[in-house]
């Protein structure tokens, strides 16, 4: 006859979330995220361990960050949006830089962007900065980081030109 403790252990064991080995293994690969909230923050999901997260993945709510098909199309769309040719006056560019970057790097970043604007190989970084700033002003805070990356890219492209 089974004791009460053995029966409780069996109940707990049966209540645990179980998946087939291959499905569980595929769900452990990658980083699963819920859609971002209004601030752009996403919660992480663990579909291999949590039944709620597994159901969210099945319904398409949670997505794998490393899903290559989705990422490639999204990256291409974003890159096309950032590479649009937009020229702004230098004074307006100075205002953009002063609004989005810290005091210690404002002047050097502004000078690099002006230099990139006049360089045919680095002008893409200038376009990226201006377009990312416009998207940032529309309310998508994640494009503030892209503005900083565009300045870094401008510096890199300009330095490559000098090395050749």
């Amino acid at each position: 006859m089974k004791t009460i403790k053995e029966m409780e252990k069996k109940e707990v064991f049966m209540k645990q979330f179980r998946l087939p080995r291959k499905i569980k293994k595929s769900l452990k690969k990658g980083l699963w995220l819920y859609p971002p909230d209004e601030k752009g923050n996403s919660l992480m999901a663990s579909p291999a361990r949590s039944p709620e997260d597994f159901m969210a993945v099945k319904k398409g709510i949670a997505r794998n960050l490393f899903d290559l098909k989705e990422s490639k199309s999204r990256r291409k769309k974003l890159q096309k949006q950032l590479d649009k040719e937009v020229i702004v006056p230098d004074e307006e560019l100075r205002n953009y830089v002063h609004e989005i970057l810290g005091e210690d790097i404002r002047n050097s970043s502004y000078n690099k962007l002006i230099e990139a604007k006049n360089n045919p190989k680095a002008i893409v970084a200038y376009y990226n900065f201006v377009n990312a700033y416009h998207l940032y002003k529309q309310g998508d805070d994640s494009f503030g980081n892209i503005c900083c990356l565009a300045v870094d890219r401008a510096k890199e492209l300009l330095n490559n030109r000098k090395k050749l």
Side-chain angles (χ1 to χ4, degrees), residues 43-54:
L43 289 176
M44 190 173 132
S46 300
R49 285 188 254 147
S50 168
E52 294 84 19
D53 293 341
F54 178 72

Side-chain angles (χ1 to χ4, degrees), residues 28-94:
K28 283 187 176 183
K29 293 178 183 176
L31 182 64
W32 296 88
L33 299 174
Y34 282 100
D37 59 4
E38 59 275 349
K39 293 182 180 179
N41 302 325
S42 296
L43 289 176
M44 190 173 132
S46 300
R49 285 188 254 147
S50 168
E52 294 84 19
D53 293 341
F54 178 72
M55 291 308 293
V57 168
K58 273 188 107 170
K59 291 178 183 176
I61 298 170
R63 63 180 180 85
N64 190 350
L65 184 64
F66 301 119
D67 186 11
L68 297 177
K69 293 176 187 172
E70 180 185 340
S71 295
K72 277 187 181 179
S73 63
R74 197 174 76 204
R75 275 190 305 225
K76 284 183 181 181
K77 182 181 173 185
L78 176 65
Q79 196 61 46
K80 191 175 183 179
Q81 194 175 15
L82 290 175
D83 287 345
K84 283 189 246 176
E85 294 184 16
V86 177
I87 304 287
V88 296
D90 292 348
E91 208 43 53
E92 194 172 337
L93 179 66
R94 181 179 296 277

Side-chain angles (χ1 to χ4, degrees), residues 97 103-113 151 155:
V97 170
E103 283 184 41
D104 52 336
I105 59 171
R106 284 181 185 161
N107 289 332
S108 64
S109 298
Y110 172 73
N111 291 334
K112 286 294 180 184
L113 287 171
V151 172
K155 290 176 185 176

